[in-house]
Amino acid sequence: MSFLHLVAFAAVVLGFCFVVLSLACGLYYLAELVEEYTVYTRKIIKAMTATVVGIHVLLWIVDRLPFLLLAFSILCHGVYTMNLKTFPFISLTSVPFIASCGMLCIFKRHH
């Protein structure tokens, strides 16, 4: 192994560290924005959920993907949306949160 290989390896490690640090800073900034603008964040999450549900319907109509899987996914998104009623505060003992966790376990078991 030459000195150039060691320099290249060190550069890759350093580059990876910078990417991870940049990602962490970006996520921290997004968390601050969510904390600051909870009402706007709730609207964005609802719009994104509606978009995903619309895409699911289009996948069923256009591509004829399995109806039951898409219906289950739409149901999951509906339950996830119920958690937004008390956003950003989510009770770990609330029915929507427990149902969300249960649906996630059901989905993971079948895939």
Side-chain angles (χ1 to χ4, degrees), residues 21-92:
L21 183 63
S22 297
L23 183 63
C25 289
L27 288 174
Y28 180 76
Y29 181 70
L30 283 176
E32 289 291 324
L33 284 176
V34 167
E35 238 179 82
E36 180 102 14
Y37 303 104
T38 56
V39 174
Y40 187 62
T41 302
R42 182 182 306 140
K43 288 179 184 179
I44 290 174
I45 293 173
K46 281 186 179 182
M48 290 172 67
T49 302
T51 302
V52 168
V53 169
I55 291 171
H56 278 66
V57 171
L58 286 175
L59 286 172
W60 178 61
I61 292 172
V62 175
D63 290 340
R64 295 290 179 204
L65 290 181
F67 174 76
L68 289 177
L69 291 176
L70 292 172
F72 180 73
S73 182
I74 291 171
L75 179 67
C76 288
H77 280 88
V79 173
Y80 299 155
T81 304
M82 290 181 354
N83 285 312
L84 292 176
K85 289 180 185 176
T86 59
F87 182 80
F89 306 105
I90 296 176
S91 172
L92 299 180

